[in-house]
């Protein structure tokens, strides 16, 4: 009698075996067959099903940090995996930045969380000034009622609504570079009356 080679997706390493065993999830054997043992999927690859002849790439936003991974792990908040290379780890967002959710697939989704605002001069997330609300993302601080806010930056042309929108667009495209003279702080003044011109401001506070 002639022995038969185990087909792809199975393996056996026992003389006189009557059947081949299916490769477990996270493992495979090639279509060539005849495998004595199944091979673990490499880091960055996965195979959720048994009896397979190949491994799959982890989808963006997930990673396989160990060999033999049956299911890719979802990137935690504050990390991302963009699918550009081997998906063997999730990459941390730059310092002070984070993400609003798990499974982030692009570095452009690294942003400022609630309670902070985007400091464009230094390209970091700074603490929200007292007397203002910071919802996170690319939004500028919004001062509370009976307060007055003053954007601080060395170049007034970079503080206009149009300029800030243009900077937001570049950030979302991953093309933003630090803006010397750009918005870096917000002074919040408390009004002394119902009207809020700068000349009647008191109680100045800064970040």
């Amino acid at each position: 009698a002639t022995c038969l080679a185990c087909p792809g997706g199975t393996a056996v390493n026992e003389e006189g075996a009557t059947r081949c065993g299916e490769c477990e999830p996270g493992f495979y054997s090639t279509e060539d067959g005849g495998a004595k043992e199944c091979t673990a999927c490499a880091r960055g690859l996965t195979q959720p099903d048994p009896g397979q002849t190949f491994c799959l790439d982890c989808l963006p936003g997930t990673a396989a940090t160990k060999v033999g991974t049956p299911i890719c792990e979802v990137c935690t908040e504050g990390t991302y995996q963009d699918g550009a290379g081997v998906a063997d780890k999730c990459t941390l967002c730059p310092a002070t930045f984070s993400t609003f959710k798990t499974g982030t697939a692009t570095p452009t989704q690294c942003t400022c969380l609630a309670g902070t605002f985007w400091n464009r001069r230094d390209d970091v997330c700074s603490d929200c000034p007292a007397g203002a609300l910071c919802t996170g993302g690319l939004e500028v601080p919004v001062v509370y009622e009976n307060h007055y806010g003053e954007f601080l930056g060395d170049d007034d042309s970079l503080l206009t609504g149009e300029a800030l929108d243009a900077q937001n667009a570049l950030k979302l495209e991953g093309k933003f570079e630090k803006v010397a003279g750009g918005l870096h702080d917000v002074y919040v003044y408390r009004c002394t009356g119902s009207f809020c011109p700068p000349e009647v401001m008191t109680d100045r506070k800064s970040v």
Side-chain angles (χ1 to χ4, degrees):
T2 302
C3 294
L4 301 174
C6 288
T10 67
V12 68
N13 192 20
E14 179 185 349
E15 290 187 5
T18 58
R19 59 179 297 178
C20 302
E22 273 191 334
C23 295
E24 298 179 355
F27 291 76
Y28 73 100
S29 68
T30 65
E31 292 181 346
D32 296 337
K36 292 184 178 180
E37 61 183 21
C38 297
T39 302
C41 292
R43 293 173 60 196
L45 301 176
T46 185
Q47 180 48 260
D49 298 318
Q52 299 301 306
T53 60
F54 55 89
C55 296
L56 302 167
D57 291 324
C58 290
L59 295 174
T62 68
T65 60
K66 301 177 181 179
V67 298
T69 297
I71 299 177
C72 298
E73 300 175 4
V74 176
C75 293
T76 59
E77 290 184 8
T79 67
Y80 67 92
Q81 195 281 108
D82 61 9
V86 178
D88 58 353
K89 65 179 180 179
C90 297
T91 302
L92 282 171
C93 289
T96 73
F97 290 91
S98 189
T99 62
F100 287 130
K101 61 183 181 67
T102 60
T104 297
T106 65
T108 57
Q109 291 178 291
C110 292
T111 190
C112 297
L113 296 181
T116 65
F117 74 96
W118 183 29
N119 171 339
R120 294 138 196 265
R121 182 190 68 182
D122 304 316
D123 196 16
V124 297
C125 299
S126 296
D127 291 336
C128 193
L133 172 69
C134 296
T135 58
L138 305 181
E139 299 295 329
V140 297
V142 178
V143 297
Y144 292 125
E145 186 177 2
N146 296 323
H147 289 73
Y148 173 85
E150 178 188 358
F151 290 165
L152 296 184
D154 296 332
D155 186 342
D156 289 342
S157 68
L158 297 174
L159 306 180
T160 66
E162 183 177 358
L164 295 175
D165 287 343
Q167 294 160 24
N168 289 352
L170 290 172
K171 186 70 169 175
L172 293 174
E173 293 172 4
K175 299 178 181 179
F176 178 82
E177 297 182 0
K178 292 180 182 180
V179 180
L183 174 65
H184 65 89
D185 200 353
V186 179
Y187 277 164
V188 178
Y189 305 84
R190 184 181 301 159
C191 302
T192 57
S194 58
F195 186 59
C196 253
E199 61 267 24
V200 297
M201 295 305 127
T202 61
D203 223 13
R204 186 173 76 176
K205 299 178 180 179
S206 67
V207 177

